[in-house]
Amino acid sequence: MSLIPPSLGGPVCVDALGFPRYAATIWLDFLNAHAANATREKHARAISGLYRDAEAMQPPVDLDKALLETNLRDLRAVLSSTLLGHQSCGTADRRWDLQKRFVFGMLDMVNVVRTPELSQQLRTLQRSFSQLRKAPAARPASQTARSLPADVLEDIFEIVDPTSRRNPFRTTTARWRNYTIVLLLFQLGLRRSELLLLTPDSVHSEFDFRLGHQVYWLSISQPDCEDPRASPPRLKNSWAVRDLPLSRTLISAIDIYTSQYRGDPPHGFLFTSAHQLPLSKQSVEEVFQVIKRKIGPSARRSLVARAGDQLSPHSLRHTASVVRYQRFSSSGMDHEEMSRRIRPFMGWAPGSEMPFHYARKFFEPRYAKLWDETFDDALAALRGGIGC
């Protein structure tokens, strides 16, 4: 008759050297020894994935140490990384639930006696992750807008440069209008409807005495002016109303378009058609189809391979979301703070899970080059001395 309890002969979590994981062993063989073997096997698989995610982080996190020392910062990072992995791969909710149960169950065991401050911190951590679940199944790739590869973006901006020989738009007015549209969509991640609701008065400025220079921003709102379009654009929700900071590039592009090329149309919207009507949703889509037809062979292959051959205004919104999220991440910001900042910028509701949707999307360092003030020198030359 064996002296080893049956529970010790069941599932086990081991490290790369084959040694049992400390916290996982306590969880499986002590706190859940009463569970059926099949149940403990599911726990073991889920927990092993959590350990792998912790070790894959940069720098790696010792999950056992983080649990036993109640290192909430590291635990938050590991849980965030794991949830993002579920979002990216479409993993079942059940595994995520088991991983959360393991982490918070171990924390309860380790911190039987706790200070009021620690109790509050643990409640906050548990509450923040209890509300987050895996996103619904993704739509088919052919229907899903994706972030654009960097070489495709570079080719697009070469095409829409108003002075480029590759620019396919016939008039200078159309060239400057479409260049400004592409910049707005990429740098601010606007929805198409938000773009079409802009007016010349959407741009605001004031002198910032702390910074010592003028600052500019764009107000997204539903304007009061009459809209003659057959299908008038509308803001998606109340969270879409927001103010967004403008780069020097955007300020200059908007200024050139409005002062030299927009003219004096009989409506109050910023972007106008060749017939002096407010630009329609269909017209914006057609602009992108024209741009797509001009993309070079190499960039086109990247577009097909990495973005499902999709190019639309929403492609740039997706790309802007990925870039902003990755820039927050590279600055060392934790997931909760990144989500708190990106939601109002993109016009998402406070509890929206959209940040998880973008967090692991395709990203290249060259995005940052396009995101920042890279067009200022070229634009200054184009302006020929015109002031902002």
Side-chain angles (χ1 to χ4, degrees):
M1 181 176 181
S2 173
L3 298 177
I4 301 177
S7 62
L8 297 182
V12 63
C13 293
V14 297
D15 62 19
L17 298 177
F19 293 106
R21 309 279 196 180
Y22 185 78
T25 301
I26 293 174
W27 180 257
L28 293 169
D29 296 335
F30 177 64
L31 298 178
N32 287 277
H34 61 283
N37 209 52
T39 300
R40 293 169 63 234
E41 285 178 353
K42 292 177 183 178
H43 279 255
R45 287 194 293 270
I47 295 168
S48 292
L50 197 64
Y51 277 96
R52 287 194 296 270
D53 287 342
E55 292 171 345
M57 296 182 70
Q58 296 297 327
V61 172
D62 184 333
L63 186 57
D64 281 333
K65 184 178 180 182
L67 286 167
L68 297 176
E69 295 181 356
T70 316
N71 186 329
L72 299 186
R73 178 179 179 182
D74 282 354
L75 292 173
R76 182 184 296 277
V78 172
L79 287 170
S80 296
S81 175
T82 298
L83 178 57
L84 295 178
H86 290 319
Q87 298 282 18
S88 177
C89 302
T91 317
D93 281 328
R94 178 60 176 164
R95 175 167 292 194
W96 169 239
D97 289 338
L98 293 175
Q99 290 166 333
K100 287 189 297 182
R101 188 183 304 174
F102 164 66
V103 169
F104 295 114
M106 288 299 301
L107 288 174
D108 285 341
M109 188 201 75
V110 171
N111 297 282
V112 176
V113 179
R114 62 186 75 168
T115 64
E117 181 182 5
L118 178 58
S119 295
Q120 179 59 41
Q121 291 174 342
L122 288 172
R123 283 195 298 271
T124 300
L125 181 67
Q126 188 164 10
R127 186 166 55 248
S128 66
F129 283 100
S130 67
Q131 298 171 358
L132 301 176
R133 299 186 181 278
K134 182 180 71 67
R139 292 174 292 174
S142 61
Q143 302 176 22
T144 304
R146 303 180 185 179
S147 55
L148 299 173
D151 57 343
V152 174
L153 278 173
E154 290 169 346
D155 206 51
I156 288 172
F157 277 108
E158 183 178 329
I159 291 168
V160 299
D161 180 335
T163 65
S164 172
R165 291 185 177 182
R166 296 179 61 195
N167 193 306
F169 302 105
R170 185 173 57 85
T171 67
T172 307
T173 296
R175 291 183 173 206
W176 273 101
R177 182 198 68 192
N178 297 338
Y179 173 66
T180 305
I181 286 173
V182 172
L183 274 177
L184 278 165
L185 293 171
F186 173 59
Q187 288 203 356
L188 300 184
L190 299 183
R191 298 179 177 96
R192 183 183 58 177
S193 59
E194 295 167 353
L195 176 86
L196 294 175
L197 288 171
L198 294 177
T199 71
D201 293 334
S202 297
V203 178
H204 303 274
S205 70
E206 67 179 19
F207 189 83
D208 189 317
F209 289 94
R210 182 176 58 86
L211 298 176
H213 60 74
Q214 200 81 1
V215 295
Y216 296 81
W217 68 92
L218 191 73
S219 290
I220 310 298
S221 63
Q222 191 78 37
D224 295 329
C225 50
E226 182 180 351
D227 196 333
R229 287 172 283 205
S231 178
R234 291 286 183 269
L235 294 183
K236 185 173 183 179
N237 51 46
S238 61
W239 307 110
V241 177
R242 61 200 190 278
D243 293 333
L244 301 175
L246 289 172
S247 69
R248 288 175 292 157
T249 304
L250 267 174
I251 297 164
S252 298
I254 293 171
D255 176 66
I256 292 175
Y257 170 66
T258 54
S259 64
Q260 298 185 40
Y261 301 107
R262 177 176 176 270
D264 187 22
H267 61 80
F269 297 96
L270 177 61
F271 294 110
T272 188
S273 71
H275 301 290
Q276 293 292 285
L277 298 172
L279 201 64
S280 67
K281 300 174 185 177
Q282 183 59 36
S283 294
V284 177
E285 295 292 342
E286 289 173 358
V287 166
F288 276 79
Q289 291 309 306
V290 172
I291 294 171
K292 183 179 178 181
R293 289 195 291 270
K294 292 293 291 185
I295 290 177
S298 177
R300 185 57 181 265
R301 286 192 293 271
S302 292
L303 184 68
V304 171
R306 296 179 174 178
D309 200 27
Q310 300 296 307
L311 178 62
S312 69
H314 213 64
S315 301
L316 289 180
R317 176 170 167 82
H318 278 242
T319 307
S321 303
V322 174
V323 175
R324 182 156 290 268
Y325 200 105
Q326 291 290 341
R327 286 172 68 81
F328 285 158
S329 179
S330 64
S331 71
M333 198 178 295
D334 64 35
H335 170 74
E336 185 172 348
E337 180 64 14
M338 287 189 286
S339 298
R340 188 185 70 80
R341 292 195 184 196
I342 198 172
R343 286 186 181 109
F345 186 89
M346 299 304 299
W348 294 325
S352 171
E353 294 186 8
M354 290 303 290
F356 295 106
H357 180 67
Y358 294 103
R360 285 194 171 185
K361 293 288 185 179
F362 175 77
F363 176 73
E364 292 186 34
R366 279 186 290 172
Y367 278 155
K369 173 187 173 185
L370 293 171
W371 177 270
D372 291 325
E373 304 293 343
T374 54
F375 303 101
D376 277 343
D377 291 341
L379 196 56
L382 291 174
R383 288 172 61 83
I386 301 171
C388 292

